[in-house]
Amino acid sequence: MPPNKNYINMEIKIGSKQMLKFLLVVSYIIFIGLSIEAGGFIFNAIYSAAFDGINTKKFWQLIDLSELYTFDKGHFYVQVFIVILVAVLKAVLFFLIIKVLQDKKLDLSKPFNQEIRSLIFLLSYVALGIGFFSRMGIKYVTHMVQNGVNMPDTEQLRLGGYDVWLFMGVILFVIGHIYKRGIELQTENDLTI
């Protein structure tokens, strides 16, 4: 079909600076949600400890941990600690992303620098930590179910997807090493000019 002369060709061009601003806004939204979730778990854990398990039936977002609490308070606090640790690590991950985008440490003219390389490695360690502790939490839930305790689903406890976090951590670790090589090449290039 031949092009219509009355047709106006409209293209939306999104530059990298606009994309970084968009990613900053999205990261803030995710960070706020994860911080609320981590704070909710922490508050409910303290509230349950202070008032002898009064809140375990509707722990956080209606998660029922009352059977685990009546089975053994120690197991209850270990499970809650793992859930809190995973939630806090997720919030820390997005805080680090916000920090690099907010502080404008990502220089697009020279993208290979030590600060970004350090951040990528730190993000990989945090992602690996999320994956490791999520897996540990899932194993703990499985252990409790095998002991006859009725436990909520691991997705309700926000422990699902440990393999994705581990995979992301490994990918970021590899990217960090690629960045390291990029820094070496950029330094050699700067010295030759």
Side-chain angles (χ1 to χ4, degrees):
M1 176 183 235
N4 188 349
K5 291 183 181 183
N6 295 330
Y7 174 75
I8 299 173
N9 186 11
M10 296 182 67
E11 288 184 35
I12 299 176
K13 293 187 179 183
I14 299 175
S16 54
K17 289 188 179 194
Q18 290 87 7
M19 183 57 74
L20 289 176
K21 287 180 184 178
F22 173 73
L23 290 174
L24 178 64
V25 170
V26 170
S27 296
Y28 263 117
I29 293 168
I30 294 171
F31 172 70
I32 290 169
L34 291 172
S35 297
I36 290 170
E37 182 175 278
F41 281 125
I42 292 169
F43 174 79
N44 281 297
I46 293 170
Y47 188 80
S48 295
F51 295 104
D52 198 29
I54 197 167
N55 196 35
T56 59
K57 186 92 171 146
K58 297 178 183 174
F59 187 70
W60 170 250
Q61 295 186 342
L62 304 178
I63 297 172
D64 185 6
L65 293 173
S66 58
E67 281 194 38
L68 180 61
Y69 189 82
T70 54
F71 178 74
D72 186 358
K73 291 179 186 177
H75 287 297
F76 171 80
Y77 288 117
V78 168
Q79 184 67 56
V80 168
F81 176 75
I82 293 170
V83 169
I84 289 172
L85 189 59
V86 169
V88 167
L89 284 174
K90 287 178 184 178
V92 165
L93 185 82
F94 277 92
F95 174 77
L96 293 171
I97 293 169
I98 288 170
K99 189 172 189 273
V100 75
L101 292 175
Q102 188 73 36
D103 295 345
K104 307 220 185 301
K105 293 186 181 186
L106 186 62
D107 184 11
L108 296 177
S109 63
K110 287 190 174 183
F112 296 102
N113 60 48
Q114 288 294 338
E115 289 183 26
I116 298 300
R117 183 185 78 83
S118 298
L119 174 78
I120 290 172
F121 278 118
L122 185 58
L123 290 174
S124 75
Y125 299 143
V126 172
L128 288 170
I130 293 168
F132 173 75
F133 288 112
S134 293
R135 177 68 176 142
M136 187 159 58
I138 291 170
K139 282 188 167 203
Y140 207 81
V141 167
T142 305
H143 175 68
M144 290 292 101
V145 168
Q146 288 172 348
N147 285 332
V149 179
N150 188 17
M151 293 289 293
D153 186 33
T154 55
E155 293 297 324
Q156 284 182 304
L157 293 171
R158 310 298 189 266
L159 296 173
Y162 76 92
D163 52 345
V164 176
W165 288 106
L166 291 174
F167 182 70
M168 185 172 88
V170 170
I171 294 288
L172 286 171
F173 192 74
V174 170
I175 290 172
H177 281 288
I178 292 170
Y179 239 79
K180 183 178 177 183
R181 181 65 183 140
I183 291 169
E184 292 169 359
L185 290 174
Q186 185 172 296
T187 305
E188 289 174 12
N189 191 26
D190 289 345
L191 292 175
T192 57
I193 293 176

